[in-house]
């Protein structure tokens, strides 16, 4: 079975639907070799499946056998030939992810093999990816741009073996990236480490004192407090603690003038999907309006139409839905959901 594990907000997911899935070569191969399913990992049965198969990035493509076991996976926007090749790999026991992991455990050191395995596991099994990349970089005498990108993607914590490589290879890294960018990555790695330690997933509680004390070793007090509040809001949304998410988000984004169109649209859509208070939804309307003002497109006009509908302003909802469908047609995007909204108004 092939599963396209996607999220409704995911840009690469939408591009796959537009550019790759409709291709006859892709359809012919997948339809003749697999039972195919497209499942939103943030709704209904998808939530449980995302947890079961450890889906953390979108789109993720899962290949599952008759016993419900994952035998292969990949992710991201994939071009036609590569997308078909991934499917062929899933059918070949020697090329499946399960076989590749075993080959690594048996001591395989081929650099190309290690790079491929790291790419397949970096977003869903960071511990294994760290070990794979550690073995890869131990063999490298010099780094190219691809190596540096891979190192930065794999280094998630100061406690990772890759962080020592990140530090020891600084001179080579700053030949490829400016030193201020290196410093920014270093700060983010430290921040991710402190955030992870400050949150207890079992009790769903934060250790504020620990986070504020540790993070202020490399952040200002104001930066530290804002980041903690943002992290709490994001975590509350994941935990479906909507009152906390709503309260913190409204506090965080009183001033949204410096936010990008994409950030504002994402924020407004999250409120549309999760918040029911009319006063708060009106704030989301303002975010969506600002998003449209900065860069009018199908996505943010659709968000605005849905928000107006949710607060009961049918006139504006219809106007923006019509605008959204028009924009979608001009750019070749799928406006099915917006057209459904328009018919209901």
């Amino acid at each position: 079975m092939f599963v396209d594990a996607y999220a409704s907000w995911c840009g690469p997911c939408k591009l796959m639907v537009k550019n790759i899935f409709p291709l006859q070569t892709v359809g012919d191969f997948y339809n003749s070799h697999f039972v195919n399913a497209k499942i939103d990992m943030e709704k209904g049965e998808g939530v449980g499946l995302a947890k079961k198969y450890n889906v953390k990035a979108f789109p993720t493509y899962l290949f599952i056998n008759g016993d419900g076991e994952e035998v292969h996976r990949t992710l991201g926007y994939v071009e036609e030939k590569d997308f078909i090749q991934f499917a062929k790999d899933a059918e070949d026991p020697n090329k499946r992810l399960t076989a590749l992991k075993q080959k690594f455990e048996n001591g395989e050191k081929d650099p190309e093999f290690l790079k491929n395995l790291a790419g397949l596991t970096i977003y869903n099994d960071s511990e294994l990816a760290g070990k794979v990349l550690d073995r890869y970089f131990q063999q490298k005498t010099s780094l190219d741009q691809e190596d540096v990108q891979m190192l930065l993607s794999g280094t998630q914590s100061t406690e990772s073996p890759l962080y020592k490589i990140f530090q020891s290879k600084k001179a080579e890294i700053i030949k490829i990236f400016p030193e201020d960018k290196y410093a920014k990555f270093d700060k983010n790695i430290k921040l991710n480490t402190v955030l992870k330690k400050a949150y207890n997933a079992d009790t769903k509680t934060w250790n504020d004192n620990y986070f504020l004390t540790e993070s202020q070793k490399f952040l200002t007090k104001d930066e530290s407090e804002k980041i903690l509040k943002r992290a709490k809001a994001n975590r509350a949304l994941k935990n479906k603690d909507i009152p906390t998410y709503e309260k913190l988000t409204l506090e965080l984004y009183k001033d949204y003038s410096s936010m990008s169109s994409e950030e504002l649209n994402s924020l407004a859509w999250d409120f549309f999907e999760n918040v029911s208070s009319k006063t708060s939804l009106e704030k989301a309307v303002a975010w969506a309006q600002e998003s449209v003002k900065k860069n009018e497109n199908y996505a943010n006009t659709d968000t605005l139409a849905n928000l107006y509908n949710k607060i009961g302003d049918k006139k504006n909802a219809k106007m923006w839905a019509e605008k959204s469908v028009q924009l979608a047609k001009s750019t070749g995007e799928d406006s099915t959901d917006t057209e459904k909204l328009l018919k209901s108004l």
Side-chain angles (χ1 to χ4, degrees), residues 200-215:
N200 186 320
D202 294 327
T203 60
K204 296 182 179 179
T205 56
W206 288 89
N207 186 334
D208 291 16
N209 287 336
Y210 170 81
F211 177 82
L212 294 170
T213 301
E214 292 300 311
S215 63

Side-chain angles (χ1 to χ4, degrees), residues 249-262:
T249 303
L250 289 170
E251 290 174 6
L252 275 165
Y253 301 107
K254 285 177 182 175
D255 177 11
Y256 49 89
S257 56
S258 63
M259 293 174 69
S260 71
S261 176
E262 291 77 13

